[in-house]
Amino acid sequence: MEEKAGRELRVGIAGVAGRMGRALIDAVRARAGVRLAAASVRRGTASVPVGDGGEEEIVARADPAALFAASDVVIDFTAPAASVAHAALAAETGTALVIGTTGLDDRECRAITAAADRAPILMAANFSLGVNLLLALTRIAASRLGPDYDLEVLDFHHRHKKDAPSGTALALLRAAAQGRGLDPEATPAALDADRNGVREPGGLGFAVLRGGDVVGEHSVILAGPGERLELTHRAGDRAIFARGALAAARWLADRAPGLYSMADMLGLDAPGG
Ligand code: NAD
């Protein structure tokens, strides 16, 4: 992609009517060197004017092709089917794409991986710096505190969240599995097992809480003989995810096609970033 040195990076935002869409608009306006180039809403939704931040009047429409045509990089926190469609457009146009949507199934993840052959795509279940460090810490803790320490991941989110466990909880479980020498991809599926009865040694577990307006909280608990280690991250504001996604967009715009993670961007050796 021709570089934007000397000119502002043109950022497109998908799904501006959503909670994260609104946080992303604010983040773009607050950051130097980037400008809002285009925005979109879901098909069947009325167009929304978003240009009151000093930029030209921008109207968010249900026109994803126009979103990609106008942008150097598109940021997408929408819904799984939408993110797959956006990845196909990224591949068609070679436009960089940052995906924050969670709850994608294996087929949807494979479609995004395939699209990344033709465009740079960065996908992360969580764009906060603290959570990405927590992923690395979880892997270390799971490896150093062996199977005598029962490991549980807890996620607590607002009542509107659609997927459970959260994408971040799944990434934490993968990090823990990696620390324990288990197959990180097989582990989350195996966790659906009935939890009646005594706990198997060395296993990984999770619990999900939903309610109110909690932006996002994750704990990794290692409960061993006579002691318990608890690692907790609390997100107080969606702005942290928006700022992280925007930093990722800036980094991604200069990359070759491929599928990238926050761990790649931050230089943290953690899985599932
Ligand atoms: P939300 O429901 O408030 O917003 C989603 C928006 O996407 C809605 O306005 C919806 O109309 C829109 N949308 C759906 N399909 C679309 C399409 N084809 N084109 C354009 N817009 C479309 O949800 P939210 O709280 O903003 O979260 C969105 C996603 O981001 C969820 O999957 C959530 O789990 C995830 N999320 C990720 C992180 C992270 O750091 N990775 C942080 C917060 C939320």
Side-chain angles (χ1 to χ4, degrees):
M1 190 183 304
E2 152 213 350
E3 176 39 51
K4 301 101 208 166
R7 77 175 171 86
E8 294 176 312
L9 184 71
R10 297 175 303 157
V11 177
I13 299 176
V16 278
R19 283 175 285 265
M20 278 305 300
R22 292 192 294 272
L24 284 160
I25 296 273
D26 292 343
V28 169
R29 289 195 175 131
R31 188 173 168 130
V34 299
R35 84 176 156 84
L36 182 65
S40 77
V41 290
R42 185 165 46 111
R43 192 175 307 135
T45 316
S47 300
V48 183
V50 284
D52 63 357
E55 62 270 286
E56 290 164 38
E57 183 64 29
I58 289 169
V59 178
R61 300 180 200 284
D63 185 352
L67 174 72
F68 279 80
S71 309
D72 297 317
V73 53
V74 170
I75 306 180
D76 168 7
F77 285 65
T78 56
S83 295
V84 170
H86 292 148
L89 276 167
E92 239 176 85
T93 58
T95 309
L97 174 63
V98 172
I99 300 177
T101 307
T102 60
L104 285 81
D105 63 23
D106 288 348
R107 187 188 52 78
E108 290 162 335
C109 287
R110 281 198 300 276
I112 285 167
T113 304
D117 283 344
R118 291 195 283 150
I121 298 182
L122 187 150
M123 194 169 171
N126 198 302
F127 282 89
S128 96
L129 186 56
V131 159
N132 282 282
L133 189 60
L134 179 61
L135 285 164
L137 294 173
T138 297
R139 192 173 51 117
I140 295 168
S143 140
R144 298 291 170 88
L145 303 178
D148 278 352
Y149 289 75
D150 300 317
L151 192 150
E152 293 280 326
V153 172
L154 183 69
D155 95 77
F156 190 0
H157 282 85
H158 55 89
R159 61 168 66 164
H160 302 290
K161 183 159 180 64
K162 296 194 177 83
D163 50 318
S166 70
T168 303
L170 291 172
L172 288 166
L173 287 162
R174 282 189 211 105
Q178 205 187 44
R180 289 271 161 96
L182 306 169
D183 176 359
E185 295 314 317
T187 308
L191 289 168
D192 286 338
D194 184 358
R195 296 202 75 177
N196 276 326
V198 297
R199 205 179 194 291
E200 292 294 326
L204 308 177
F206 69 83
V208 172
L209 306 176
R210 293 286 177 266
D213 58 1
V214 178
V215 172
E217 297 187 4
H218 293 91
S219 290
V220 178
I221 302 164
L222 293 110
E227 66 174 350
R228 190 162 82 229
L229 174 64
E230 300 188 358
L231 303 167
T232 295
H233 179 269
R234 295 194 176 89
D237 190 326
R238 282 184 182 81
I240 59 165
F241 307 129
R243 283 197 298 268
L246 200 51
R250 178 102 247 171
W251 179 84
L252 189 67
D254 299 328
R255 301 263 106 58
L259 188 63
Y260 299 94
S261 68
M262 282 297 274
D264 295 324
M265 179 188 136
L266 297 169
L268 290 170
D269 180 24

